[in-house]
Structures are given as C-alpha cells and as structure tokens.
Amino acid sequence: MHVLILGGTGEARRLADVLVADPALRVTSSLAGRVERPRLPAGEVRIGGFGGPAGLAAWVRAHAVDAVVDATHPFAERISRNAALAAEETGVPLLALRRPSWTARDGDRWHRVPDLAAAAQALPALGSRVFLTTGRQGIAAFAHLDGLVFLARSVEAPAPPVPARTEVLLERGPFTLDGERALLRAHRIEVLVTKDSGSAATAPKLAAARELGLPVVVVERPAAPAGVRTAPDVAGAADWLRRLRG
C-alpha cells in the first residue's frame, strides 16, 4: 500500500515515523520546498509542487498511490484544495490530518479575525509594539503600518514588502514558556499576532501573553475542503489507514 503524505509539519513527520515501521506500507512524503533546510521525514521524500490538482492527480496515478494524507499546515489552503480535487478525480481515499484549534482560557484577551487584512486593521487600536508570528509569507499584509514597531519571527527571512520598523527574528520552534515570556518583556511587546495553527510547539507564546495581560490577535483558520474526512492526530490518521487496508 503506497501512502502519500502531504506536508512538512510535525504531525506529518510523526505519521511518517509510524508508517515506515510497517513493512506492508510504502511511504512518500511531499514537501512544498519553501524552506531551504527542511526537517526531512522518514521514508521516501519528494520536494516541490505538483502543478495544481491535475498535476497531483497525475502523480498519484503514475506512482500507484493508494491513499493520501493531507498533513499540511492548517493555513495551506491551496494544497488542501488541490488534494481534494485530485482525490475526487482519481478516486483515491483522502484524509486531512488537522490538529485541533487553540481554545481561549480564563485571562486570555483574544481578538479573533477572519484573515491577515483584518488583523492589520485591528492592530493600531491594540498596541504600538507588535510581536508578529504569522510566518514570513504573512508579513506583507502589515507593510503599510509605518507607525507601529514589529518584531517578526519566522523560520526564514521574509521577502519585501515588510513594515518599515521591523526586526526579524529567525527561529524555529518548539519554544518554551520561559523563553517566550523573556522575549515579550525584552522587546516591550504590547500585542501579539498569530494564526490559529493549534501547534503545541508554538503555544507557549499564548501562555506568556496571558501572564502579561497582552491582547492577542488570532487569525482564524480556513475550513477543510467540503466532504473531506478529517482526523485530529497521528493516531487517528494511522487508524484510518489500517481500516483502509482491512
């Protein structure tokens, strides 16, 4: 049984670790190639795009793929949509592995917004020193906010445009509560902006913001494509594959 895992997330790597231990499975992980030095999963790896849903469908057919697991980032809308279209065209079973969203706790000052544009619009009323953790591709949405000071954290340096007063911090999680607390204090952060990735590796910033009483602008994640089965964790995805095998 040939399983294609889409995505370079932590869940994708953990799923690959589980599946390659089964000699009855062939596992191929596909990474988008946006990160220069990605963490490679176990098993076979391909890097780069497919050329849209038709290209993905052609690859699935050419490589005799029996099942596809979309374990991309919750905000990777395009590849998730392409995977759904390719699965419909080929008839190959598709599962979306989606970690649960973050849930606000007592003391949180969250401002939920539908997209990055709305996050940028909300910022001036919340604070002037911003910790921006939306990823390098999201920084451009804030480029027009010249009156604010940004600390932007990403794995790799963002391409222009970026806000005029921006310090870029190149780091990769997981992060600790002590580290996030110290970072917010050292940079005198007044407001945090994040996407609702649901990742445990980056959740400590939310706890640190809660402790310091900081407002948090949370960009809501897009819904999974209609009709696609989902699982909340690696165990659920592995169980789905076992049931497919019968």
Side-chain angles (χ1 to χ4, degrees):
M1 183 178 184
H2 188 189
V3 180
L4 173 63
I5 303 173
L6 303 175
T9 60
E11 289 87 356
R13 291 192 299 274
R14 289 194 294 274
L15 180 61
D17 286 340
V18 170
L19 299 184
V20 296
D22 187 339
L25 297 178
R26 175 189 173 191
V27 181
T28 302
S29 295
S30 177
L31 311 183
R34 296 193 181 98
V35 177
E36 186 175 341
R37 293 183 297 276
R39 295 173 177 171
L40 297 180
E44 301 175 34
V45 179
R46 69 170 301 279
I47 296 177
F50 290 96
L56 176 53
W59 198 95
V60 164
R61 291 192 182 101
H63 294 83
V65 171
D66 299 293
V68 178
V69 178
D70 172 13
T72 57
H73 191 277
F75 284 81
E77 294 180 79
R78 180 178 298 177
I79 185 60
S80 292
R81 182 173 59 250
N82 290 350
L85 292 171
E88 183 178 359
E89 180 179 337
T90 60
V92 171
L94 168 67
L95 178 80
L97 174 52
R98 289 290 179 267
R99 64 181 84 117
S101 295
W102 284 321
T103 303
R105 295 173 51 182
D106 289 344
D108 283 325
R109 298 173 56 197
W110 287 10
H111 301 261
R112 290 190 176 274
V113 294
D115 52 36
L116 291 173
Q121 186 176 6
L123 275 183
L126 297 173
S128 60
R129 300 186 65 84
V130 183
F131 185 27
L132 192 59
T133 63
T134 56
R136 62 173 179 155
Q137 293 182 318
I139 295 176
F142 304 86
H144 62 288
L145 297 174
D146 295 335
L148 305 184
V149 177
F150 289 87
L151 174 67
R153 183 167 66 192
S154 59
V155 176
E156 295 187 347
V162 299
R165 304 166 70 188
T166 300
E167 178 182 348
V168 176
L169 185 61
L170 299 181
E171 288 186 337
R172 188 199 303 262
F175 303 102
T176 66
L177 176 56
D178 287 343
E180 298 292 66
R181 187 191 298 117
L183 183 69
L184 295 177
R185 285 174 171 159
H187 290 269
R188 295 180 288 119
I189 297 300
E190 298 174 0
V191 56
L192 165 67
V193 182
T194 182
K195 291 179 176 179
D196 181 12
S197 69
S199 172
T202 58
K205 64 189 173 187
L206 300 175
R210 183 187 313 119
E211 287 185 7
L212 299 174
L214 301 182
V216 181
V217 179
V218 180
V219 181
E220 295 180 333
R221 63 172 63 177
V228 175
R229 183 185 298 272
T230 62
D233 51 32
V234 170
D239 182 64
W240 176 77
L241 288 167
R242 281 192 293 270
R243 285 186 276 111
L244 277 183
R245 289 170 58 188

